[in-house]
């Protein structure tokens, strides 16, 4: 999955907000996650997600790569209510409340 079909700037914005809310580029000292993304999650998604050369070179995920990971994650975890599509229909405050409730 080198490109993300149909991704909009609004959808990227939702994922960026979530990434920042989860701590951004700073690694969580408890579990090593970055922006809420565990290394194990990336490993589990390796068939669906290949980091861009830019992400590999920088050692950090680009916004496009962050968006790919979150889209795959939300499509799976929110599949009963429409996957990632439900997120882009929510206002940002409602989105953050929803996500905090899910966790």
């Amino acid at each position: 999955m080198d490109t993300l079909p149909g991704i909009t700037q609004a959808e990227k914005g939702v994922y960026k907000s979530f990434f920042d809310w989860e701590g951004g580029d700073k690694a969580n000292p408890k579990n090593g996650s970055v922006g809420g993304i565990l290394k194990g999650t990336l490993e589990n998604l390796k068939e669906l997600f290949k980091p861009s050369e830019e992400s590999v070179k920088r050692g950090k995920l680009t916004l496009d790569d962050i968006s790919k990971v979150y889209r795959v994650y939300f499509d799976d975890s929110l599949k009963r209510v429409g996957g990632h599509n439900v997120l882009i229909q929510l206002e940002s405050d409602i989105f953050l409340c929803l996500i905090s409730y899910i966790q």
Side-chain angles (χ1 to χ4, degrees), residues 63-89:
L63 179 55
D64 285 343
D65 285 344
I66 290 165
S67 298
K68 290 176 191 178
V69 171
Y70 278 129
R71 180 185 266 190
V72 171
Y73 172 79
F74 286 124
D75 276 349
D76 181 56
S77 57
L78 298 176
K79 62 186 163 201
R80 296 173 79 185
V81 293
H84 77 274
N85 291 312
V86 73
L87 298 178
I88 60 177
Q89 297 171 13

Side-chain angles (χ1 to χ4, degrees), residues 41-52:
T41 301
L42 293 177
E43 184 64 28
N44 291 339
L45 297 177
K46 68 182 176 187
E47 296 297 320
L48 300 171
F49 169 74
K50 180 182 174 192
S52 67

